[in-house]
Amino acid sequence: MGVAALGVVVLLGATVQRLSGMGFALIAAPVLVLVLGPAGGVGLANCASGVISVLGLAVGWRGVRAGRMVPLVLAAALTVPLGARLATVAPEAVLLVAIGTVVSAVSVVVMLGVRAAALRGVPGAVVAGAAGGLLNAAAGVGGPPVSLYAANCGWSAREFLPNAQFFGLAVNVMSLSAKGLPALSAPQWTVAACAVAVGTVAGHLMAGRVPDRPVRRLVLGLALAGGLLTLFRGLAAGL
């Protein structure tokens, strides 16, 4: 059951990530954490997100706005070690509560389409990058702060996709460098790799054919449900 759930959630996450530039960690991280535990779940989320970003950049690298991404990536580099440390020392129940809370809160914030002057320009890039690095290393959810930054800067979906993939690659490489690869079994690695490949191809084939707004609503709805489930699981484990 655990390996089957892992395959399904990675497949779904990879598909929506390739479609919209975000969504893998929001959908997959809570379920992966429940199946594999916080360390294994977040680690696999980092690995899969990084691979999906590489595959996305293989066809969209010309759209990367390098000048805009520098402050985001540099800020993330400063906070990834702190996120990795938190993921290492915190008790499992605390991590479950933290991951569930973060995913749920981020889902609601993105749903509401928050706009703030602090999330524009270079200062906004630094804030978003720092938050993304911390959350990615600790909870596997680094994309939403960048999504909020892009929305506040007026980026189109076409601009957002390759730049989100670029940030995803950078921050996941940094997170895995700080924490190391998760300790998974051979069947778990095999199922995850196949699910990433199939989901990425499916998302590529669906790109341009599926409206962006319904996809985002589905992603955020699933993310909120998974986040709340993880939160309640953590609270129950801590009682």
Side-chain angles (χ1 to χ4, degrees), residues 195-227:
V196 165
V198 174
T200 301
V201 172
H204 179 72
L205 294 175
M206 294 166 63
R209 297 180 174 87
V210 180
D212 182 62
R213 183 167 296 181
V215 172
R216 289 177 65 85
R217 287 176 178 170
L218 174 63
V219 168
L220 295 172
L222 291 173
L224 181 57

Side-chain angles (χ1 to χ4, degrees), residues 47-201:
C47 290
S49 294
V51 171
I52 295 166
S53 296
V54 170
L55 297 175
L57 284 172
V59 296
W61 62 270
R62 291 182 179 85
V64 175
R65 303 170 70 170
R68 288 282 188 95
M69 299 310 295
V70 168
L72 284 158
V73 173
L74 290 180
L78 297 176
T79 57
V80 162
L82 175 59
R85 179 63 177 168
L86 290 174
T88 302
V89 302
E92 181 169 325
V94 173
L95 285 173
L96 288 173
V97 170
I99 292 170
T101 301
V102 167
V103 172
S104 301
V106 166
S107 300
V108 173
V109 169
V110 176
M111 283 179 184
L112 296 176
V114 172
R115 296 289 187 271
L119 289 174
R120 298 173 189 155
V122 174
V126 171
V127 170
L134 177 66
L135 294 175
N136 195 77
V141 187
V146 179
S147 177
L148 291 174
Y149 166 73
N152 279 273
C153 291
W155 287 16
S156 67
R158 186 173 182 177
E159 289 176 301
F160 175 71
L161 183 56
N163 289 285
Q165 305 285 17
F166 181 85
F167 182 80
L169 173 59
V171 78
N172 281 297
V173 167
M174 289 188 285
S175 296
L176 291 169
S177 297
K179 298 183 298 183
L181 294 173
L184 305 181
S185 67
Q188 288 170 333
W189 279 118
T190 301
V191 169
C194 292
V196 165
V198 174
T200 301
V201 172

